[in-house]
mmCIF file of all heavy atoms in Angstrom:
data_model
loop_
_atom_site.group_PDB
_atom_site.id
_atom_site.type_symbol
_atom_site.label_atom_id
_atom_site.label_comp_id
_atom_site.label_asym_id
_atom_site.label_seq_id
_atom_site.Cartn_x
_atom_site.Cartn_y
_atom_site.Cartn_z
ATOM 1 N N ALA A 279 13.849 1.120 -11.444
ATOM 2 C CA ALA A 279 13.820 -0.001 -10.517
ATOM 3 C C ALA A 279 13.820 0.468 -9.070
ATOM 4 O O ALA A 279 13.129 -0.090 -8.194
ATOM 5 C CB ALA A 279 14.982 -0.936 -10.770
ATOM 6 N N ARG A 280 14.630 1.505 -8.838
ATOM 7 C CA ARG A 280 14.694 2.042 -7.472
ATOM 8 C C ARG A 280 13.375 2.640 -7.029
ATOM 9 O O ARG A 280 12.941 2.509 -5.891
ATOM 10 C CB ARG A 280 15.823 3.077 -7.380
ATOM 11 C CG ARG A 280 15.968 3.747 -6.016
ATOM 12 C CD ARG A 280 16.318 2.730 -4.921
ATOM 13 N NE ARG A 280 17.701 2.292 -5.010
ATOM 14 C CZ ARG A 280 18.253 1.476 -4.146
ATOM 15 N NH1 ARG A 280 17.542 0.996 -3.134
ATOM 16 N NH2 ARG A 280 19.484 1.079 -4.304
ATOM 17 N N PHE A 281 12.671 3.323 -7.948
ATOM 18 C CA PHE A 281 11.368 3.867 -7.627
ATOM 19 C C PHE A 281 10.432 2.755 -7.123
ATOM 20 O O PHE A 281 9.761 2.893 -6.127
ATOM 21 C CB PHE A 281 10.729 4.525 -8.869
ATOM 22 C CG PHE A 281 11.225 5.885 -9.176
ATOM 23 C CD1 PHE A 281 11.369 6.318 -10.469
ATOM 24 C CD2 PHE A 281 11.546 6.796 -8.165
ATOM 25 C CE1 PHE A 281 11.829 7.581 -10.775
ATOM 26 C CE2 PHE A 281 12.012 8.054 -8.462
ATOM 27 C CZ PHE A 281 12.168 8.448 -9.773
ATOM 28 N N ALA A 282 10.396 1.650 -7.895
ATOM 29 C CA ALA A 282 9.500 0.551 -7.551
ATOM 30 C C ALA A 282 9.913 -0.107 -6.205
ATOM 31 O O ALA A 282 9.057 -0.410 -5.356
ATOM 32 C CB ALA A 282 9.502 -0.506 -8.640
ATOM 33 N N GLU A 283 11.231 -0.287 -6.024
ATOM 34 C CA GLU A 283 11.705 -0.921 -4.779
ATOM 35 C C GLU A 283 11.412 -0.048 -3.552
ATOM 36 O O GLU A 283 10.977 -0.524 -2.547
ATOM 37 C CB GLU A 283 13.216 -1.204 -4.917
ATOM 38 C CG GLU A 283 13.806 -1.979 -3.765
ATOM 39 C CD GLU A 283 14.366 -1.117 -2.661
ATOM 40 O OE1 GLU A 283 14.629 0.078 -2.944
ATOM 41 O OE2 GLU A 283 14.526 -1.593 -1.556
ATOM 42 N N GLU A 284 11.638 1.270 -3.718
ATOM 43 C CA GLU A 284 11.410 2.168 -2.572
ATOM 44 C C GLU A 284 9.935 2.274 -2.231
ATOM 45 O O GLU A 284 9.575 2.553 -1.114
ATOM 46 C CB GLU A 284 11.968 3.540 -2.917
ATOM 47 C CG GLU A 284 13.493 3.607 -2.876
ATOM 48 C CD GLU A 284 14.021 4.953 -3.326
ATOM 49 O OE1 GLU A 284 13.294 5.684 -4.035
ATOM 50 O OE2 GLU A 284 15.184 5.234 -3.008
ATOM 51 N N ARG A 285 9.084 2.024 -3.210
ATOM 52 C CA ARG A 285 7.633 2.091 -2.940
ATOM 53 C C ARG A 285 7.045 0.732 -2.604
ATOM 54 O O ARG A 285 5.834 0.574 -2.483
ATOM 55 C CB ARG A 285 6.941 2.732 -4.156
ATOM 56 C CG ARG A 285 7.161 4.237 -4.212
ATOM 57 C CD ARG A 285 6.861 4.761 -5.574
ATOM 58 N NE ARG A 285 5.986 5.942 -5.549
ATOM 59 C CZ ARG A 285 6.302 7.125 -5.096
ATOM 60 N NH1 ARG A 285 7.506 7.320 -4.583
ATOM 61 N NH2 ARG A 285 5.441 8.126 -5.131
ATOM 62 N N GLY A 286 7.904 -0.245 -2.392
ATOM 63 C CA GLY A 286 7.472 -1.517 -1.827
ATOM 64 C C GLY A 286 6.804 -2.482 -2.782
ATOM 65 O O GLY A 286 5.995 -3.293 -2.345
ATOM 66 N N CYS A 287 7.088 -2.375 -4.063
ATOM 67 C CA CYS A 287 6.496 -3.298 -5.066
ATOM 68 C C CYS A 287 7.307 -4.580 -5.154
ATOM 69 O O CYS A 287 8.505 -4.576 -5.051
ATOM 70 C CB CYS A 287 6.478 -2.670 -6.450
ATOM 71 S SG CYS A 287 5.301 -1.294 -6.639
ATOM 72 N N ALA A 288 6.587 -5.676 -5.413
ATOM 73 C CA ALA A 288 7.274 -6.872 -5.928
ATOM 74 C C ALA A 288 7.693 -6.533 -7.350
ATOM 75 O O ALA A 288 7.067 -5.752 -8.067
ATOM 76 C CB ALA A 288 6.340 -8.061 -5.901
ATOM 77 N N ILE A 289 8.805 -7.115 -7.795
ATOM 78 C CA ILE A 289 9.398 -6.738 -9.089
ATOM 79 C C ILE A 289 9.793 -7.940 -9.918
ATOM 80 O O ILE A 289 10.353 -8.906 -9.365
ATOM 81 C CB ILE A 289 10.638 -5.846 -8.853
ATOM 82 C CG1 ILE A 289 10.271 -4.576 -8.081
ATOM 83 C CG2 ILE A 289 11.296 -5.445 -10.208
ATOM 84 C CD1 ILE A 289 11.493 -3.761 -7.634
ATOM 85 N N ILE A 290 9.505 -7.880 -11.191
ATOM 86 C CA ILE A 290 9.999 -8.845 -12.191
ATOM 87 C C ILE A 290 10.694 -8.053 -13.282
ATOM 88 O O ILE A 290 10.122 -7.085 -13.786
ATOM 89 C CB ILE A 290 8.851 -9.686 -12.770
ATOM 90 C CG1 ILE A 290 8.139 -10.479 -11.702
ATOM 91 C CG2 ILE A 290 9.391 -10.620 -13.861
ATOM 92 C CD1 ILE A 290 6.906 -11.214 -12.176
ATOM 93 N N ILE A 291 11.925 -8.380 -13.612
ATOM 94 C CA ILE A 291 12.660 -7.700 -14.640
ATOM 95 C C ILE A 291 12.501 -8.419 -15.976
ATOM 96 O O ILE A 291 12.711 -9.643 -16.055
ATOM 97 C CB ILE A 291 14.183 -7.628 -14.266
ATOM 98 C CG1 ILE A 291 14.365 -6.805 -12.979
ATOM 99 C CG2 ILE A 291 14.971 -7.007 -15.410
ATOM 100 C CD1 ILE A 291 15.788 -6.812 -12.456
ATOM 101 N N LEU A 292 12.105 -7.673 -16.990
ATOM 102 C CA LEU A 292 11.873 -8.253 -18.324
ATOM 103 C C LEU A 292 12.881 -7.686 -19.314
ATOM 104 O O LEU A 292 12.896 -6.465 -19.564
ATOM 105 C CB LEU A 292 10.447 -7.941 -18.805
ATOM 106 C CG LEU A 292 9.306 -8.384 -17.849
ATOM 107 C CD1 LEU A 292 7.971 -7.917 -18.427
ATOM 108 C CD2 LEU A 292 9.328 -9.873 -17.637
ATOM 109 N N LEU A 293 13.763 -8.531 -19.839
ATOM 110 C CA LEU A 293 14.714 -8.098 -20.864
ATOM 111 C C LEU A 293 14.016 -8.239 -22.206
ATOM 112 O O LEU A 293 13.988 -9.340 -22.766
ATOM 113 C CB LEU A 293 15.987 -8.960 -20.789
ATOM 114 C CG LEU A 293 16.746 -8.902 -19.428
ATOM 115 C CD1 LEU A 293 18.008 -9.737 -19.519
ATOM 116 C CD2 LEU A 293 17.049 -7.474 -19.026
#
Side-chain angles (χ1 to χ4, degrees):
R280 179 61 74 178
F281 281 144
E283 186 268 340
E284 287 175 339
R285 284 162 131 70
C287 289
I289 301 172
I290 299 172
I291 297 174
L292 305 177
L293 302 182

